[in-house]
Structures are given as structure tokens and as C-alpha cells.
Amino acid sequence: MAQQNPPPPPVALPASPLPYPIPPFDDFPQIPTFLLEQPVPDDSSPSFTHSNPYSVHHHLNPNLPLLVPFPQKRKRTGVRRRPAAPPLPPQLPNLVSPPASALQSQSLGPNRETDISEEIIVINKEATGEALIALSAGFPADSLTEEEIDAGVVAAIGGIEQVNYILIRNHILARWRMNVSGWLTKETFVNLIPPHCHSLLNSAYNFLVAHGYVNFGVAQAIKEKIPPEPSQPSVVIVGAGLAGLAAARQLLRFGFRVVILEGRKRCGGRVYTKKMEGSNKSAAADLGGSVLTGTLGNPLGIIARQLGSSMHKVRDKCPLYRPDGSPVDPDTDMKVENAFNRLLDKASRLRQLMGEVSMDVSLGAALETFREVYGDAVNEEEMNLFNWHLANLEYANAGLLSKLSLAFWDQDDPYDMGGDHCFLPGGNGRLVQALAENLPIFYEKTVHTIRYGPDGVQVIAGGQVYEGDMVLCTVPLGVLKSGAIKFVPELPQRKLDGIKRLGFGLLNKVAMLFPRVFWSTDLDTFGHLSDDPSRRGEFFLFYSYATVAGGPLLIALVAGEAAHSFETMPPTDAVTLVLQILRGIFEPQGIDVPDPIQTVCTRWGTDSFSLGSYSHVAVGASGDDYDILAETVGDGRLFFAGEATTRRYPATMHGAFMTGLREAANMAHHANARALRLKVERSPSKNTQLCASLLADLFREPDLEFGGFSVILDRKTNDPKSTVIVRVTLGGARKRGAAEGAKADQQHSNKPLFQQLQSHYNQQQQIHVYTLLSRQQALDLREVRGGDEMRLHYLCEKLGVKLVGRKGLGSVADSVIASIKTERGNRRSGSSSLSLKIGG
């Protein structure tokens, strides 16, 4: 990692739990007391810690579909209580004009004649609205994703062709959202797209279908596309949670043979809806994943639409009650909530000043230090309220604040789906049931060994061996951490380290079916404070499901330390404590609280098939570890999916579902590459897909690295004219010194809101582009001074090369890739027995 600029010298402060001195508070806005009442500051940190960056006012254009204001983000609040004040109307970019980089790449001048291929097409007048829809599905506003570059959707990065591709892609996504129950055909767009752009239409449509962005789900029209007889290789899927079910449905549609092995007696994994009943009352209780966190672009929201189900917005009215049951004063409530938000802002700014050191510090240590500094200004009620917000934060992350990384605990915030938090009436088991319909699932098959090699895979459950061409492992991170599944050969050390670094936390619930509804039905949540900090997460929040579960159902949440101690608490004691809290709240109001008809206490931490609830970025980890967990192992034989394999949407149901679609596309890619192996050996230029896959592996250990550039070469020759492959990494959040970071962030915060989003999202994206050089040219490039900007100038202007996606490198690169892989194989093994052909 790059060395950071040293922070300012520390000032004398009370003893701090941080292993690093706090910078002077002069570096923060002047806040003389912990609970000083003042407006929440504007968005000035790069993690958008106040308002969701996707917020868009519908009144700017009432014809824009699916655009509603985003309330406060999930990681800040856990349960949403008070939406932030709406931001000023954002200035939307003109997305029918090409980015400046595109115009520069075309070098259009007044004296140059342009042909029709250099014109920006106009599909309809809603290009901006369609771009926002694409954004909600995970696509940057004005650039390609790395997935798209890997797939070679355009011949070259940048330029008018890329702009037109993006417009076509966005239009396809928008049309799909208009009718998610039908099969969207390519022919729908033929008359809308100029003939010279039909190749881009093919490229965009094929990419979106293959990667599960359109034409997915459980609608009848989509089910009918599953071929009656499989024509592709066989896949074994371990785990029938949302990731496994999504992958299975997609793979079946691709024509693969699929079998799913599930250790439980049911499917769904950590999404479990239990029917509770008695005394002529019944209700559907979500004991695991329960809230759809954001509905814009959420694929599970699309599944719900296909099922004809409405969604119930979780209302943000959430009264809080003191330990004695009396209501919290609203002014005090607002005062502490604002102070808590300011404290998170201080923690965000602190990590900027600390630089890399913040990776080794917990969010809890930072917040505790600030609390100690200002603790004298807090009375008992205010401290209980403050601890309630800490519990809510631990609920959002399923992790102790003492374990969360100060540097990266909220790294996924820029990708929040946005939209309302919702319940699905009848429970999320409806989604699971629809996705599992007619799938070949074998229950009570506990997998203990996965073998993978060049000829295929073996998955061993008990005394049974299931063989296939590929295996997809979707078990929770807790199971991977436990070592319950033995991988043969052992997983790469890189993946083992990632599994160890990432955190996996715990959330538990007490579900109670009552004879009647005795609480107010005009709210969906209410909270309870504790006067014991170590028990702050014990029954701190209640969810009312009376309006969606079919009966009088309440669920109490247990987060933080309390979630762990709850695992050994007798269920009768737990229910007794919950009833004491409820009676303390309602009986003073003259409301009788009856005994529940049926209760269920979860034990996710000791459940051998989960060993916890969901992932978080622990101290020492980063978002990169999610990518590492997602990496394919064994030359395209062993794949991984699940919420802990997505850095953008971890700890969410939709994140798990999307990884299943992602890996289905990945497995299809590798299967197709293997099918072409013989042809590739005779004519490498025909297998650009496989070469693209090999490049990713080879560049994990580049021969040269400088700035954002890396180089792989064949070490068998020292010829300065020999061909090497250069990769340029564009975008991605880079480390900055304190002074530089503060200046850049201030400039960033002055951008219009939508442009902030666009800039921040694209900054998070790491895009790889490539070119071929001679060995000597690569060495000369390394010596260019002035950083990556000057190197790019030298590369493009002095050497006159063009940067392309991996598929644009051509047949010369195929040969170079094959040669480098063979040379590396010989070097590592020391014998010719491990020499590798392309795809070997």
C-alpha cells in the first residue's frame, strides 16, 4: 500500500481505546459538546454519510419510471426511523451527449467529415431517465462495467461507439422493467436502432440476457425458455439458498444439467419463513432475512412483481421507550440522533486523517474515544439513547462495533439499491418457494468434501459422491470459516486469508404470535432502551408484522453482544423478558398484553448450516476480500456465490441472489471456453473468451508493476523486441494523504448530487484495459515520470497505441498468453509434466 502523509501531531486527550492518537479537533467543524444541537452537516465525506447519493426528485420529470427519493441508507440506520431532509434537486447530466473523453478519442474537428458511425443515436427522449434505471441495476451512468469490458461489448474503450452502446443497453433495461413478466426479445428493438448499430444491439442484448440483468425470474414466459433436454455440461450446486436457487434456474435455462445438494430439510438457507399457528390464529414469520432493503433495481422486487405481489413499505415512524416503559421525549430523541450522526461523520473524517492506519482500528474504538471526550455532557437517558443507536448499527452490520473496520465498515454504501425498505406480504418464503419450483434439490445432503481438478469435480455428502463438470459453493461464510467443508486440493492461500479476514456476525429474533393485536397498527417498528450497555441490543427493536403476516405477529430483535449471549438463554426466559418489556410499555396505557399463543427463538449462531447471520468488513479486512471470496478456483471448476462474495451488496438477500446470476454467467463462460479447447489449440485467435479468462489469472502475479500499470511477459526470452501485454487499471478509489484527501473531498462535495453519485460510483469501479508493446517499450514506459497521467500520455500520444478490452487484443495476444502460461507452469513445477496449453 502507498505510504500516507503523516497526520497532524496529537493533542492531549483522555485515555483512548484507539491504538493511534486522535488528530486535533481543530480539523473537525467546531462542536463544543457531544450533544450540541445543530443541523446535520452536508455530505462532505466520500462515503456519503448523510443522504443517499441516488436521491432523485420525481417532480423534475414526472414521466421518469421508478424514481422515488431514497431515505437514509441502510448502514447508517439499520432500521429507518427519520428520513433525512430531502436534498436539493440534482442537476442531471445530459446523457445524450458523449463524455469529453469520447469526443477527444474521436478527434472531431471542423474540417473533418464524419460518417454515420460517428453519430450519437437518439432512441427516445428519456435518455436520462433510462440512465437512472440502469444505475439502479448497477451500471455506471457514463462508462462500462468491468464485466462488459471483459465480455468485449465494444471494439475499443471510449468513443462514440461506447456512448451508443450505453444508450442501447440502458434502453433495453428500461423496457424490461416495463414488463418483467414477458420475455423481452431482441427483435423488439430492431426498428428502434439504426442499422449501423445493430451489432451494438446484439452485443448489449446478449450481455444483459447472459448475465441475468433481463429475462430472469419465475414468470411463465421465462420458465418456458428452459430447454426440455440439457445440452451443456453438469453442475453440482452446494446450498439451496437464494444464491444457489438463482444460479440453478439460470443454468437450467442455459441448458446445463444441474443438481442442488442442501443440508437442511428445506430450501432458502438464511431466508426462512415459518408458519406460526394456534387458537385459530396464524401468521408467516420471517426468522431470517426479512426486509427488502431498497426496491430500485432490486431483482427480488422484480420476482415479487412476477408473482403479482404488492410490497409493504416499512414506515419510518419508530417511537422509542425508556427501560421503565415510558416514552422517550421526542426532542431528546432528535437531539441524540443528530449527535450520533455527527459522531459517525467525525469517525469518517478521522479515518481520512489516519490513512492506512485506520484499517487496523475498529469503528467502535473511534466512537468510544469520541464518547469519552464528550461524555461529561451526557445524562443517563441520553446515554441509553446513544447505546440504542449503537445497537441499531450493530444490527445493520450483524457485527460488534469493536469488530467493524473503521476504514471500510460502510464500503458498500455507494451501491445501495435505494428506494423503500419493504416487507413482502406472506413472507420471503414466497420468493424461495417460487424459485425452488421444479428444481432438482436433494435435501439432507450435508457436503463435507469438494474435490476439483482438470477433469471435473466430485462433491461428497455422507457416503454419496456426486460428479460433475463444475461445482458452485454457496454455503455461508460462517461455514467456510469453520472448515466444515474440506477442499481437495486446498483452496489458494489468498482465498483462505480472505475468508479469515472478513467478519461474520450474528442477529437473532424472538417471534411471537398473539391472540390479538394490542399494539398500534399505524407503525411497523418501535424500540426499547436498556440501561445496561452490555445488553443494549437485547430486544432493542420490535417489528410489527400484523399488516403483512396474516395474523397478530410481533418479532423482537437481538443484536450485538446480546445476540451471542442469547444463544444460550433458555427460550422461556427470553419470552419472559420480552413480555416484561411489552407490559412495561403498554399496561401504563391501559392496554392488556396477553400471553403469546406460540413463540420461536432463533439460534443462527449455533445452526451448523449457517454459524452466524451475515457478513461485514472486520478490522484488517476490506471490500477487496469480497472479491477474493468470489474468485473462481481450479481453472474454472470451482465457483463461489453468496452474500459474502459481493462487495457491492453484502449482507443482503438481493446481493445473494445476484451472485447466483453472476456465477451462472461465469460458469457458462468457462464451459464454452472448454468446449472450444481443441479449436483453440489449432487456432488460438478463435478463443478470445478463454484468453480473457487466462489473462485475469496471469495478471494476479505481474512481472512488472508501476502505478496503475502492470506487465506480463515471457521470461524464456530477453529479446527487447519480444511482445508483452500491458494492463492499465482505470478508476477505483485510490489512497490519498490527509491534505490531498481533504481538498479532493471538498471539491467532490461541491458537485451536483447526481454527478457526485456518478463520479463516486465510477471512482469505485476498477476497469482494466490492455495493449501490446515490445519489452523495451514497456521498460521505457516504466521510466516515464509524472505518474499515470504522463504514462498514459506517453502511451497514447508518443507510442500511438490504443487501449482495448481483453477481447480486443487479437490473435497475437492469444499466442503470447499461451506462451506465458506454459513458461510459468514449467517454472513453478520444474518439470514438463505440468506444462499448460491454453485451457489446460
Side-chain angles (χ1 to χ4, degrees):
M1 294 184 180
Q3 182 65 36
Q4 298 297 299
N5 294 335
V11 296
L13 290 173
S16 167
L18 290 174
Y20 185 87
I22 299 182
F25 280 90
D26 291 343
D27 292 309
F28 299 116
Q30 190 65 34
I31 301 179
T33 175
F34 170 50
L35 292 175
L36 178 66
E37 296 187 52
Q38 65 177 33
V40 177
D42 61 7
D43 294 309
S44 57
S45 76
S47 56
F48 296 107
T49 52
H50 283 293
S51 64
N52 190 297
Y54 293 87
S55 299
V56 175
H57 283 255
H58 187 68
H59 68 258
L60 289 177
N61 187 340
N63 295 319
L64 297 184
L66 300 178
L67 302 182
V68 296
F70 286 26
Q72 281 186 311
K73 66 189 184 182
R74 175 181 60 85
K75 281 299 183 68
R76 166 59 65 89
T77 57
V79 60
R80 296 177 172 183
R81 300 186 60 233
R82 291 179 176 81
L88 293 175
Q91 299 177 22
L92 303 181
N94 180 8
L95 293 174
V96 298
S97 298
S101 58
L103 293 179
Q104 291 169 1
S105 67
Q106 293 297 313
S107 300
L108 299 178
N111 297 322
R112 177 185 169 191
E113 294 184 2
T114 60
D115 60 33
I116 192 171
S117 65
E118 294 174 327
E119 295 179 356
I120 299 172
I121 62 174
V122 177
I123 304 174
N124 66 22
K125 298 179 180 179
E126 299 296 339
T128 297
E130 292 182 348
L132 289 167
I133 291 173
L135 193 65
S136 73
F139 290 93
D142 62 352
S143 61
L144 303 178
T145 64
E146 187 167 4
E147 276 183 326
E148 289 175 301
I149 291 178
D150 291 350
V153 295
V154 294
I157 308 303
I160 301 300
E161 182 186 46
Q162 176 175 308
V163 175
N164 285 336
Y165 167 85
I166 290 172
L167 290 169
I168 294 170
R169 175 199 71 194
N170 295 353
H171 185 62
I172 295 173
L173 285 166
R175 288 292 293 269
W176 157 248
R177 295 287 182 85
M178 293 171 64
N179 178 19
V180 296
S181 295
W183 181 269
L184 186 65
T185 66
K186 190 186 307 181
E187 289 67 32
T188 303
F189 306 97
V190 169
N191 293 330
L192 300 175
I193 308 299
H196 73 278
C197 287
H198 281 181
S199 62
L200 294 178
L201 170 60
N202 291 336
S203 182
Y205 179 85
N206 292 340
F207 174 85
L208 293 173
V209 172
H211 288 79
Y213 290 103
V214 302
N215 290 342
F216 67 86
V218 297
Q220 185 60 36
I222 294 168
K223 294 178 185 178
E224 292 172 355
K225 293 295 181 178
I226 297 176
E229 293 295 331
S231 58
Q232 296 291 331
S234 56
V235 174
V236 181
I237 297 177
V238 181
L242 286 175
L245 297 177
R249 296 200 77 84
Q250 196 79 332
L251 288 168
L252 285 172
R253 194 175 61 73
F254 291 163
F256 283 82
R257 299 176 180 86
V258 175
V259 61
I260 305 175
L261 304 180
E262 171 54 53
R264 304 179 190 272
K265 296 180 181 180
R266 60 171 180 83
C267 57
R270 286 166 282 168
V271 178
Y272 177 34
T273 303
K274 177 178 177 60
K275 185 177 182 181
M276 300 179 65
E277 53 189 343
S279 302
N280 297 319
K281 302 289 182 181
S282 66
D286 277 321
L287 301 181
S290 57
V291 182
L292 293 183
T293 51
T295 50
L296 297 188
N298 193 322
L300 295 181
I302 289 175
I303 302 295
R305 285 174 61 190
Q306 292 173 338
L307 294 175
S309 176
S310 60
M311 307 289 284
H312 173 80
K313 176 186 175 181
V314 180
R315 292 164 287 187
D316 47 44
K317 180 182 178 182
C318 181
L320 299 181
Y321 297 91
R322 296 187 181 101
D324 63 3
S326 61
V328 169
D329 175 67
D331 290 337
T332 303
D333 187 4
M334 181 66 72
K335 174 182 175 183
V336 174
E337 181 165 344
N338 287 342
F340 177 76
N341 285 336
R342 290 197 303 274
L343 224 61
L344 285 181
D345 289 326
K346 285 181 176 293
S348 179
R349 292 166 191 162
L350 175 63
R351 66 183 174 191
Q352 295 171 23
L353 294 170
M354 292 174 67
E356 291 182 11
V357 180
S358 64
M359 288 190 65
D360 300 320
V361 177
S362 74
L363 175 64
L367 293 178
E368 176 63 17
T369 299
F370 289 128
R371 187 196 65 77
E372 289 183 359
V373 170
Y374 298 114
D376 292 341
V378 185
N379 61 37
E380 182 179 0
E381 180 179 4
E382 290 167 344
M383 184 49 64
N384 289 342
L385 268 169
F386 180 73
N387 282 323
W388 186 92
H389 286 286
L390 294 179
N392 198 24
L393 198 58
E394 290 180 321
Y395 157 46
N397 292 274
L400 304 179
L401 297 184
S402 60
K403 304 292 186 183
L404 293 181
S405 165
L406 171 62
F408 299 114
W409 70 277
D410 56 352
Q411 61 86 36
D412 57 314
D413 277 346
Y415 313 113
D416 185 61
M417 277 288 174
D420 296 325
H421 283 196
C422 292
F423 291 141
L424 180 68
N428 295 315
R430 296 182 57 201
L431 302 177
V432 171
Q433 183 179 5
L435 289 167
E437 183 182 6
N438 296 326
L439 293 185
I441 305 174
F442 292 84
Y443 295 102
E444 298 184 84
K445 302 295 181 183
T446 303
V447 171
H448 56 80
T449 304
I450 296 177
R451 300 179 182 272
Y452 60 98
D455 297 324
V457 301
Q458 290 184 332
V459 181
I460 304 172
Q464 295 179 298
V465 179
Y466 297 84
E467 295 187 339
D469 292 276
M470 295 175 285
V471 58
L472 174 61
C473 181
T474 73
V475 300
L477 176 59
V479 175
L480 292 177
K481 281 179 171 290
S482 74
I485 297 179
K486 180 180 180 182
F487 293 91
V488 183
E490 181 61 278
L491 296 177
Q493 191 61 44
R494 168 184 172 86
K495 190 177 284 282
L496 292 174
D497 291 343
I499 291 170
K500 183 177 180 181
R501 282 190 298 263
L502 272 182
F504 196 67
L506 186 60
L507 174 73
N508 274 312
K509 300 181 178 182
V510 178
M512 299 161 289
L513 177 66
F514 286 94
R516 64 181 182 277
V517 176
F518 57 84
W519 58 95
S520 173
T521 56
D522 67 348
L523 52 82
D524 295 311
T525 57
F526 59 91
H528 177 260
L529 278 54
S530 171
D531 51 14
D532 182 350
S534 67
R535 299 174 64 180
R536 66 192 180 203
E538 184 178 85
F539 317 126
F540 82 103
L541 184 67
F542 290 81
Y543 273 109
S544 165
Y545 284 82
T547 56
V548 294
L553 180 72
L554 267 183
I555 290 184
L557 302 188
V558 191
E561 291 182 35
H564 294 269
S565 58
F566 181 79
E567 295 272 326
T568 56
M569 181 185 295
T572 53
D573 291 355
V575 174
T576 299
L577 286 173
V578 174
L579 289 175
Q580 286 178 358
I581 292 171
L582 292 174
R583 285 168 178 154
I585 293 171
F586 291 101
E587 287 184 351
Q589 303 176 39
I591 300 173
D592 177 57
V593 176
D595 289 333
I597 298 170
Q598 185 185 8
T599 60
V600 177
C601 297
T602 66
R603 297 284 188 268
W604 289 108
T606 51
D607 183 326
S608 61
F609 298 111
S610 60
L611 298 176
S613 297
Y614 40 94
S615 65
H616 58 258
V617 183
V619 174
S622 73
D624 292 343
D625 291 311
Y626 288 108
D627 291 338
I628 292 171
L629 260 66
E631 289 175 353
T632 302
V633 175
D635 268 342
R637 295 295 183 178
L638 172 58
F639 301 78
F640 291 84
E643 59 84 15
T645 70
T646 170
R647 73 184 298 160
R648 296 186 194 175
Y649 312 110
T652 63
M653 292 184 287
H654 61 263
F657 182 87
M658 293 169 76
T659 65
L661 300 179
R662 178 196 71 203
E663 290 310 305
N666 196 13
M667 298 174 95
H669 161 72
H670 281 276
N672 292 337
R674 271 192 291 273
L676 292 171
R677 181 179 300 171
L678 293 177
K679 296 179 182 180
V680 171
E681 291 172 350
R682 300 188 186 110
S683 177
S685 63
K686 293 183 180 178
N687 193 23
T688 56
Q689 278 192 329
L690 182 54
C691 289
S693 178
L694 294 180
L695 265 183
D697 292 331
L698 295 176
F699 269 104
R700 288 192 181 119
E701 299 179 19
D703 297 292
L704 297 174
E705 276 190 288
F706 41 94
F709 291 71
S710 50
V711 180
I712 56 172
L713 49 83
D714 187 347
R715 294 189 183 181
K716 292 198 304 290
T717 175
N718 291 320
D719 183 358
K721 296 182 179 180
S722 61
T723 301
V724 304
I725 301 177
V726 179
R727 184 178 77 177
V728 185
T729 300
L730 304 175
R734 65 185 184 90
K735 295 287 184 181
R736 299 186 296 232
E740 179 190 0
K743 180 180 178 182
D745 292 333
Q746 181 61 41
Q747 293 172 345
H748 185 70
S749 68
N750 291 333
K751 295 178 181 179
L753 187 59
F754 188 85
Q755 292 179 21
Q756 284 188 36
L757 162 66
Q758 179 179 326
S759 172
H760 188 72
Y761 188 103
N762 291 342
Q763 182 190 53
Q764 296 291 325
Q765 293 287 96
Q766 281 202 341
I767 302 300
H768 300 308
V769 289
Y770 302 82
T771 192
L772 300 178
L773 296 179
S774 70
R775 181 189 288 249
Q776 187 59 53
Q777 286 174 323
L779 294 174
D780 292 344
L781 179 64
R782 182 178 60 175
E783 300 305 315
V784 172
R785 294 296 174 254
D788 285 352
E789 185 175 349
M790 291 305 297
R791 294 189 187 102
L792 280 170
H793 178 79
Y794 178 86
L795 191 67
C796 299
E797 299 298 327
K798 298 295 184 183
L799 299 182
V801 303
K802 183 163 70 170
L803 298 172
V804 297
R806 296 199 282 204
K807 291 188 176 182
L809 286 172
S811 59
V812 174
D814 297 352
S815 300
V816 174
I817 291 168
S819 178
I820 294 173
K821 184 166 185 181
T822 300
E823 183 272 327
R824 286 192 181 183
N826 288 335
R827 179 162 24 109
R828 288 172 180 167
S829 66
S831 69
S832 60
S833 61
L834 290 182
S835 296
L836 298 175
K837 302 174 182 177
I838 291 182

